[in-house]
Amino acid sequence: MRYLSRLFQPVITIPKNAKIKNTEITCKSQKLLLECGLIRPTSAGLFTILPLARRALDKLEIQIRSCIEAAGGQRMSVPSLTVAALWERTGRLQAIGPELMKMEDRHGKKYLLAPTHEEAIADLLADVGPLSYKQLPLLLYQISNKYRDEHRPKHGLLRSREFSMLDAYGIHSSEDCALTVYHTVTQAYAELFRRLQLPVHRVAAPSGDMGGSVSHEWQLPAPAGEDQLSVCSRCEHASLDPTDTCSQCGADTETRSSIEVGHTFVLGSKYSSPLSALCTPPSGAPQPLIMSCYGIGVTRLLAASLEALSSDKSLRWPAAIAPYTVIIIGPKEGSKEWQSHGADAIQRLSERIADTHDDDVIVDDRHHLTIGKRLMMADRMGYPYIVVVGKASLERPPRYEVYCSSAAAASVRLLTEDELLGLLGAAGAEDHDEIKTSA
Ligand SMILES: [Zn+2]
């Protein structure tokens, strides 16, 4: 069983307009994550991810992996350090030079801490020699830390200099094959955002520095967003072009700030050609592979979902990635309830809940604090289910106060132990079904 008193969660109170270690607090996910003890800045745009946020990221990674593997993705790991000469050959060292974290080894060989790995993947494919069209398509992916020397890092995890990212690479023998895989990965993205219950819009996008023919951005409307999205009031069609009327149905549009959480591209041979990554077609000479690539900012998506769902005062998570699903708050020491059943009853209840929710339950065992104070802190943290062992626990049979943060209206229910287990079991089964049906 996990106990809150043992948790490393350095909660802080930040006075208004205060600055913390070179970091200005500019948005609510940053403020709440800092104040609730989930992240800690180390330097401009760099953050230590503390245990509760790490749990949420682990859960998010599990969801991402499950969706991308259902689309045929094979996981691998590419070094974070890429030889700079590869980026010279594709022209990107020049194109986005200032944004790259560059370094030299003791022999003077130049490297960069890669923000993305098209060059490294193309070099790998060149190294293994021409692939036969019969081996294709392939979808290779990794989830790892990436680096970008942001001119002005801001908004905490939304624009940091080191961040976790899913990057997936489609490898194809033709443009048609690339479009088929592109469609499959598009569906995987849609499934991921459905599981997270986030209203993410897919919008046509310019390819920018990446090059290639087809490109979409995945945008989550939220106040801290730096992009502007025109969303149709009738059909929800969204566009990055500032427009008053919807191109699909002619209805009025509304402009919303929005955060880019993912991107998909068909790259063509922009990387395979200069790096000689080749494919052997059914007849004729080897030709450059066609590549596609797919990114999801993992730390950014976590922060963006908090921006979209939280209030100014309290964190709210997609249920699937809340650090713990259930928190149990026992009575205050010395109270009537405490004298009647004390820590034993809480232990027993926790163990029964843990049976259905594995290690996804935490007990707030700071019994020297009032229930009200601990309830306020639990609400601020956004645990999906808060179970309070209060006055009604003295009834026969005992009943528990259950606060459900995902309910539309903040409501409290008094439930017996069996009713509580039924409620949590049903919630758990729903999650499980989702994973089964989409796998
Ligand atoms: Zn419309």
Side-chain angles (χ1 to χ4, degrees):
M1 192 57 57
R2 308 292 185 114
Y3 294 98
L4 205 57
S5 66
R6 306 300 310 146
L7 197 65
F8 183 56
Q9 185 187 9
V11 172
I12 47 175
T13 311
I14 299 172
K16 272 185 188 158
N17 304 322
K19 288 184 181 182
I20 295 184
K21 276 199 190 173
N22 308 324
T23 306
E24 283 179 63
I25 296 167
T26 51
C27 67
K28 66 185 173 190
S29 65
Q30 183 185 14
K31 177 173 185 286
L32 290 166
L33 287 169
L34 273 168
E35 291 187 0
C36 293
L38 278 77
I39 61 171
R40 200 85 175 175
T42 65
S43 173
L46 296 172
F47 296 89
T48 298
I49 307 285
L50 298 169
L52 284 167
R54 186 62 253 177
R55 277 183 71 90
L57 279 176
D58 288 344
K59 288 183 170 188
L60 180 54
E61 282 185 10
I62 288 170
Q63 295 291 341
I64 292 173
R65 287 174 52 191
S66 143
C67 291
I68 204 79
E69 295 205 358
Q74 302 179 55
R75 191 175 190 190
M76 53 189 278
S77 291
V78 178
S80 291
L81 289 174
T82 300
V83 176
L86 292 178
W87 282 59
E88 232 171 314
R89 283 163 68 188
T90 59
R92 280 211 291 188
L93 201 60
Q94 297 296 318
I96 55 173
E99 286 187 20
L100 298 171
M101 289 279 194
K102 290 171 229 158
M103 56 181 293
E104 256 181 40
D105 70 10
R106 64 172 75 197
H107 306 295
K109 187 165 179 173
K110 293 187 169 65
Y111 293 86
L112 49 97
L113 277 166
T116 177
H117 292 266
E118 286 75 19
E119 282 82 355
I121 294 288
D123 186 50
L124 168 74
L125 298 170
D127 187 39
V128 298
L131 295 179
S132 161
Y133 74 96
K134 290 179 192 158
Q135 296 170 267
L136 304 176
L138 285 171
L139 183 63
L140 305 175
Y141 82 97
Q142 60 172 351
I143 296 176
S144 63
N145 280 9
K146 310 291 192 293
Y147 303 83
R148 189 179 292 275
D149 194 0
E150 293 283 355
H151 182 57
R152 188 172 172 269
K154 61 173 178 174
H155 293 343
L157 298 183
L158 285 177
R159 189 171 287 283
S160 53
R161 295 200 293 169
E162 176 170 351
F163 48 94
S164 168
M165 197 173 114
L166 159 91
D167 48 329
Y169 304 88
I171 297 134
H172 323 279
S173 55
S174 70
E175 188 89 7
D176 275 355
C177 172
L179 289 172
T180 305
V181 172
Y182 191 86
H183 180 67
T184 306
V185 178
T186 295
Q187 287 176 321
Y189 271 41
E191 168 62 14
L192 171 70
F193 297 125
R194 192 191 65 75
R195 285 187 197 178
L196 298 174
Q197 298 180 298
L198 294 172
V200 173
H201 297 276
R202 173 181 181 257
V203 296
S207 297
D209 298 326
M210 299 291 289
S213 54
V214 182
S215 166
H216 291 89
E217 282 182 18
W218 296 71
Q219 290 273 353
L220 176 61
E226 293 178 338
D227 294 325
Q228 296 298 316
L229 205 59
S230 300
V231 183
C232 175
S233 56
R234 189 188 296 159
C235 74
E236 288 281 302
H237 176 77
S239 163
L240 285 169
D241 297 327
T243 162
D244 297 330
T245 51
C246 172
S247 64
Q248 303 294 301
C249 75
D252 289 345
T253 62
E254 191 189 314
T255 303
R256 293 185 206 162
S257 299
S258 174
I259 302 168
E260 183 193 341
V261 291
H263 213 138
T264 50
F265 300 91
V266 173
L267 300 167
S269 58
K270 178 176 158 90
Y271 300 91
S272 56
S273 186
L275 295 170
S276 308
L278 303 177
C279 161
T280 315
S283 61
Q287 58 196 40
L289 289 160
I290 302 299
M291 290 173 66
S292 55
C293 81
Y294 311 92
I296 292 177
V298 183
T299 29
R300 178 184 281 194
L301 176 55
L302 179 94
S305 66
L306 296 174
E307 286 294 332
L309 302 176
S310 304
S311 71
D312 287 339
K313 298 220 160 61
S314 304
L315 286 167
R316 288 295 179 266
W317 310 81
I321 65 167
Y324 287 93
T325 301
V326 186
I327 185 167
I328 299 171
I329 299 176
K332 186 171 191 306
E333 263 163 17
S335 67
K336 221 187 264 181
E337 298 83 64
W338 178 264
Q339 282 158 7
S340 166
H341 42 238
D344 288 353
I346 299 153
Q347 178 79 21
R348 199 181 46 76
L349 178 66
S350 315
E351 276 165 8
R352 279 202 70 188
I353 295 174
D355 277 349
T356 55
H357 279 72
D358 297 329
D359 71 340
D360 216 14
V361 185
I362 190 158
V363 178
D364 190 342
D365 58 336
R366 298 170 303 171
H367 298 292
H368 59 286
L369 299 176
T370 62
I371 284 182
K373 170 134 188 156
R374 283 177 288 156
L375 184 57
M376 206 178 68
M377 292 196 255
D379 178 65
R380 185 166 162 76
M381 263 299 298
Y383 295 101
Y385 295 96
I386 304 171
V387 178
V388 174
V389 183
K391 285 200 171 59
S393 67
L394 292 174
E395 296 172 2
R396 287 288 163 263
R399 292 195 298 166
Y400 304 98
E401 295 163 31
V402 181
Y403 299 80
C404 178
S405 77
S406 58
S411 65
V412 55
R413 282 182 275 185
L414 278 176
L415 301 180
T416 63
E417 187 171 316
D418 284 343
E419 287 166 344
L420 170 61
L421 291 170
L423 174 74
L424 298 177
E430 230 169 68
D431 295 346
H432 193 63
D433 276 356
E434 278 178 13
I435 288 165
K436 258 197 322 209
T437 48
S438 61

